[in-house]
């Protein structure tokens, strides 16, 4: 269990991590999501006792990292795949780590097998590709057979086969009851790997919830409505009718209309009442990626004070949120 | 090459799935300084730079010293202190030790490996102590051995004419020389830890060795003399029997160098313990 309370890191006037409070529980894969530069790596370094927080605390199993009785056996981490001495063989690298943490040396060959680097174990790590470096880093994290695992962008540089392998590995580790905390800037990857999400933007907590809940809360369903081609008049009429009924409409480049805020049968009824023929009426759900983009972009917009173009018609003060997502899921209320 | 077939088996063989909290089947032993020493030994012997710098050190001491010995075959008189012929090679050879001392720690900062190291062992002073001890022991052993080898060679060539050097002189040159190399290397390690930058730390250390004697030439009488007398070049010379001031000997000067090194190592310890990495 990793527990952060009011975790804050400032570099001079710049706040990299701002009042983060969250828990990472054992038994599930927790995705740590945020755009590049949002403070993920700084947070990871604070969890691992490498950087001291400016204020707040973070503990693993109740201990600050540097006071853990047997850190090397309790926690394993992959921070940077390139963080190896290029002149040292993969095996020597892992052996020195095993010795340092008091891990039996048979574990070295074992983790080399797990990540599939046994055949190249005697080659110098400097000759490794980025993907092989990632696997060596993962091997290092697994060395102590730890209860808590942290991975910073583990799929960087991996081919599709490798990505699938990492995903299976993470889920397997969590299924054994371990705490698995994986950072990524890719929502699509996290959607497939993680059970729980901690989302940050500009160092602040934006969401801390299950993937399913995140999707439900942050992605609005919408309908795509298509009037016959060349009937611009009909489309304008339908848009007006739907807007009057409380929907939000948005024309799409191919002539369709994106409608949110009304159930499909009601859209159909309104079209029928106004004699508008429909060639398409289909339900859609915004992807997790879109939900994430919306969430993090809105955070950026909040900060810079410049409304996004699509939200210009709604003044900031009047809407609960400029993108019409449910309030309370993120933003000031939870920070 | 490809990944092993999934699903990957991560826990040690034979581990039964445990509901709830994960407990590793691998036996746990509490890590201590002994583990860190073993790890640092693995690290230092598994990179080529160690082999190269130490070979260079030995090459300079034996090569330059050997040439000096061969050239003085004709001019040696009974009672001559021929050990001083080793001074030139020793002076150049210590530059390799400085480079190795710096690299021992700065390469970890340069690659980011230090984060992995300090994740596996958050007791930062333990890590630094282990590095310092392993490095010190390695350089002391090889430094002393190389100088001893030089003395044996020089005695074989010149000993017949000059006679055997007194024991005190032998110990001062062989053991004192080895200690000097280990201490200046340790100082380099401390500077490497403080600056965290290989090139910068090596340049600083070379400046520390050479600058006092150059500045001493231009500084006033008292300060100039102090700088020259306590410069690493003069200490090296004193170890090889060429002390500037006959009233001081190599051991006293070595003591001063050790004191400076102790201060710098303490500073490095404080910095490593406190700084973000």
């Amino acid at each position: 269990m990793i527990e952060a309370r009011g975790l804050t890191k400032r570099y001079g006037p710049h706040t990299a991590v701002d009042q983060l409070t969250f828990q990472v529980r054992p038994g599930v894969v927790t995705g740590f999501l945020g755009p590049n530069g949002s403070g993920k790596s700084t947070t990871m370094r604070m969890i691992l006792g490498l950087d001291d927080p400016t204020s707040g605390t973070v503990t693993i199993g109740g201990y600050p990292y540097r006071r853990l009785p047997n850190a090397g056996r309790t926690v394993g981490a992959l921070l940077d795949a390139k963080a190896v001495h290029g002149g040292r063989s993969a095996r020597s690298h892992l052996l020195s780590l095993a010795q340092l943490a008091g891990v039996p040396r048979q574990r070295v060959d074992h983790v080399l097998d797990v990540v599939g680097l046994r055949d190249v174990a005697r080659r110098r790590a400097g000759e490794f590709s980025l993907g092989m470096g990632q696997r060596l880093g993962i091997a290092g994290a697994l060395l102590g057979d730890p209860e808590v695992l942290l991975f910073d962008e583990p799929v960087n540089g991996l081919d599709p086969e490798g990505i699938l392998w990492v995903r299976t590995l993470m889920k397997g580790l969590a299924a054994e009851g371990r705490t698995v905390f994986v950072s990524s800037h890719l929502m699509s990857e996290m959607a497939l790997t993680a059970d729980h999400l901690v989302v940050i933007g500009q160092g602040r907590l934006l969401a801390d919830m299950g993937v399913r809940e995140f999707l439900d809360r942050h992605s609005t369903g919408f309908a795509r409505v298509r009037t016959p081609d060349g009937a611009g008049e009909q489309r304008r009429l339908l848009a007006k009718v739907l807007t009057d009924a409380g929907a939000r409409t948005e024309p799409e480049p191919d002539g369709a209309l994106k409608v949110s805020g009304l159930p499909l049968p009601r859209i159909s009824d309104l079209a029928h009442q106004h004699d508008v023929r429909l060639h398409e009426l289909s339900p859609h759900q915004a992807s997790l990626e879109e939900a994430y983009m919306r969430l993090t972009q809105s955070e950026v917009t909040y900060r810079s004070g410049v409304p996004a173009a699509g939200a210009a018609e709604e003044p900031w003060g009047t809407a609960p949120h400029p993108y019409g997502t449910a309030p309370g899921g993120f933003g000031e209320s939870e920070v | 090459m490809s990944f092993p077939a999934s699903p990957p088996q991560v826990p040690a063989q034979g581990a039964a799935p445990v509901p709830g909290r994960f407990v590793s089947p691998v036996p746990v032993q509490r890590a201590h300084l002994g583990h860190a020493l073993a790890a640092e030994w693995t690290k230092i012997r598994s990179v080529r730079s160690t082999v190269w710098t130490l070979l260079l050190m030995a090459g300079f001491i034996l090569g330059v010293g050997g040439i000096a010995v061969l050239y003085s075959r004709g001019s040696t008189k009974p009672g001559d202190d021929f050990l001083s012929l080793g001074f030139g090679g020793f002076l150049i050879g210590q530059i390799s030790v400085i480079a190795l001392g710096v690299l021992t720690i700065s390469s970890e900062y340069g690659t980011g490996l230090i984060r992995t190291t300090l994740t596996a062992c958050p007791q930062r002073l333990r890590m630094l102590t282990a590095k310092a001890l392993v490095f010190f022991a390695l350089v002391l052993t090889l430094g002393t051995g190389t100088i001893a080898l030089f003395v044996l060679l020089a005695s074989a060539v010149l000993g017949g004419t000059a006679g055997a050097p007194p024991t005190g002189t032998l110990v001062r040159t062989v053991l004192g020389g080895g200690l000097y190399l280990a201490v200046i290397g340790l100082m380099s390690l401390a500077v490497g830890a403080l600056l965290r930058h290989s090139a910068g730390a090596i340049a600083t250390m070379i400046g520390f060795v050479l600058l006092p004697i150059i500045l001493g030439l231009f500084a006033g009488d008292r300060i100039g003399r102090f700088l020259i007398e306590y410069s690493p070049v003069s200490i090296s010379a004193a170890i090889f029997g060429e002390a500037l001031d006959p009233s001081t000997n190599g051991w006293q000067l070595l003591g001063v160098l050790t004191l400076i090194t102790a201060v710098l190592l303490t500073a490095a310890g404080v910095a490593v313990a406190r700084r973000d990495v």
Side-chain angles (χ1 to χ4, degrees):
Chain A
M1 164 92 92
I2 304 170
E3 202 164 3
R5 283 205 206 102
L7 197 60
T8 301
K9 182 72 177 177
R10 273 189 281 276
Y11 299 103
H14 173 65
T15 302
V17 174
D18 194 1
Q19 292 285 321
L20 280 189
T21 297
F22 62 86
Q23 288 183 347
V24 184
R25 275 168 291 273
V28 291
V29 177
T30 302
F32 190 30
L33 204 60
N36 289 325
S38 56
K40 297 190 298 293
S41 294
T42 306
T43 305
M44 288 243 177
R45 287 201 304 273
M46 286 194 284
I47 295 172
L48 295 169
L50 297 169
D51 287 12
D52 276 335
T54 308
S55 64
T57 59
V58 58
T59 56
I60 295 180
Y63 292 94
Y65 194 85
R66 288 173 73 176
R67 300 226 189 89
L68 272 172
N70 238 342
R73 288 300 315 275
T74 314
V75 184
L78 161 72
L79 285 182
D80 179 1
K82 293 186 292 296
V84 289
H85 193 299
R88 199 170 278 136
S89 74
R91 197 165 191 293
S92 298
H93 170 74
L94 293 173
L95 177 61
S96 74
L97 284 178
Q99 289 171 320
L100 187 61
V103 173
R105 59 195 297 150
Q106 307 89 274
R107 287 286 302 168
V108 172
D109 288 326
H110 182 66
V111 294
L112 280 167
D113 279 337
V114 169
V115 301
L117 287 180
R118 186 74 174 261
D119 297 339
V120 292
R122 299 204 177 272
R123 266 171 59 187
R124 308 198 310 152
E127 298 165 5
F128 280 15
S129 66
L130 182 56
M132 288 159 82
Q134 288 285 12
R135 287 192 260 163
L136 180 57
I138 291 170
L142 298 176
L143 205 51
D145 202 20
E147 194 186 322
V148 177
L149 283 147
L150 284 85
F151 299 97
D152 199 1
E153 305 272 356
V155 298
N156 262 2
L158 292 183
D159 54 18
E161 188 201 3
I163 292 173
L164 180 63
W165 178 82
V166 169
R167 204 179 287 156
T168 316
L169 176 76
M170 307 268 154
K171 289 182 172 176
L173 291 165
E176 290 162 5
R178 305 183 209 235
T179 304
V180 182
F181 195 41
V182 191
S183 87
S184 176
H185 62 278
L186 296 173
M187 183 77 215
S188 49
E189 182 48 40
M190 285 300 100
L192 293 165
T193 312
D195 310 291
H196 195 88
L197 287 177
V198 172
V199 186
I200 64 169
Q202 307 227 347
R204 298 198 303 169
L205 189 72
L206 300 180
D208 178 3
M209 60 187 71
V211 171
R212 189 71 246 167
E213 193 188 352
F214 181 86
L215 183 58
D216 289 346
R217 242 198 241 195
H218 291 295
S219 72
T220 44
F222 64 91
R224 182 168 284 122
V225 184
R226 197 182 299 277
T227 49
D229 288 341
E233 195 54 44
Q234 291 223 323
R235 194 178 74 164
R236 274 189 292 279
L237 171 64
L238 182 65
K240 185 183 180 303
V241 168
L242 293 174
T243 310
D244 289 346
R248 289 161 57 87
T249 63
E250 194 184 315
E252 296 201 324
D254 66 350
L257 207 56
K258 192 173 163 181
V259 184
S260 55
L262 280 184
L264 261 59
R266 181 98 175 97
I267 296 172
S268 175
D269 288 348
L270 285 167
H272 181 72
Q273 279 168 26
H274 292 85
D275 246 2
V276 177
R277 282 204 300 156
L278 298 183
H279 279 184
E280 183 190 343
L281 176 58
S282 54
H284 292 271
Q285 181 109 35
S287 73
L288 211 46
E289 191 76 39
E290 289 173 84
Y292 164 59
M293 291 283 283
R294 234 176 259 167
L295 183 62
T296 51
Q297 276 175 5
S298 72
E299 174 64 11
V300 174
T301 315
Y302 255 121
R303 286 301 180 87
S304 60
V306 180
E313 76 259 22
E314 272 182 0
W316 291 92
T318 57
H321 189 275
Y323 297 95
T325 49
F330 54 89
E332 312 291 351
S333 56
E334 276 195 8
V335 171
Chain B
M1 177 175 68
S2 66
F3 284 93
S6 52
Q9 290 297 311
V10 174
Q13 301 81 342
V18 189
R21 187 166 175 266
F22 172 80
V23 178
S24 168
V26 181
V28 175
Q29 53 178 153
R30 212 181 166 103
H32 50 71
L33 182 64
H35 293 108
L37 288 172
E40 292 301 334
W41 173 238
T42 299
K43 277 189 203 170
I44 205 162
R45 70 181 166 79
S46 61
V47 290
R48 291 180 189 178
S49 56
T50 308
V51 180
W52 280 114
T53 48
L54 292 175
L55 274 179
L56 267 176
M57 176 200 79
F60 278 125
I61 292 175
L62 294 174
V64 177
I67 289 169
V69 166
L70 289 177
Y71 267 89
S72 40
R73 266 183 306 183
S75 56
T76 307
K77 292 181 289 294
D80 273 0
D81 177 11
F82 57 81
L83 295 183
S84 60
L85 296 170
F87 168 62
F90 181 81
L91 193 60
I92 307 172
Q94 64 185 272
I95 305 290
S96 319
V97 176
I98 286 172
L100 182 61
V102 166
L103 285 174
T104 298
I105 190 145
S106 66
S107 70
E108 291 218 18
Y109 281 102
T111 55
L113 177 61
I114 190 74
R115 296 204 182 104
T116 311
T117 301
L118 292 182
T119 301
C121 170
Q123 291 77 17
R124 298 183 186 183
L125 289 180
R126 182 195 296 168
M127 179 279 297
L128 189 65
T129 308
K131 262 193 199 311
L133 284 176
V134 166
F135 175 82
F136 186 84
L138 179 67
V139 175
L140 181 63
T141 308
L142 292 177
T144 307
T146 308
I147 298 170
L149 200 58
F150 164 76
V151 171
L152 282 177
L153 288 171
S155 301
V157 178
L158 303 173
T161 321
T167 312
T169 314
L170 273 178
V171 171
R172 184 201 61 208
T173 302
V174 175
L175 191 59
L179 272 172
Y180 173 93
L181 290 174
V183 169
I184 199 111
L186 211 50
M187 187 190 288
S188 311
L189 194 150
V191 170
L194 283 167
L195 299 186
R196 296 183 282 188
H197 191 276
S198 306
I202 292 173
T204 303
M205 280 308 297
I206 290 175
F208 173 78
V209 170
L210 298 179
L211 220 53
I213 210 153
I214 296 165
L215 288 177
L217 295 174
F218 300 103
D221 250 8
R222 272 186 57 207
I223 298 173
R225 180 149 187 86
F226 175 82
L227 281 175
I228 291 172
E229 203 175 315
Y230 287 90
S231 76
V233 174
S234 300
I235 302 175
S236 301
I239 285 168
F240 281 82
E242 300 260 14
L244 284 178
D245 180 353
S247 69
T248 59
N249 67 42
W251 293 111
Q252 288 169 348
L253 297 175
L254 193 55
V256 174
L257 194 70
T258 308
L259 207 68
I260 301 173
T261 301
V263 170
L264 283 172
L265 260 182
T266 308
V270 171
V272 166
R274 285 205 184 156
R275 269 187 319 216
D276 286 352
V277 288

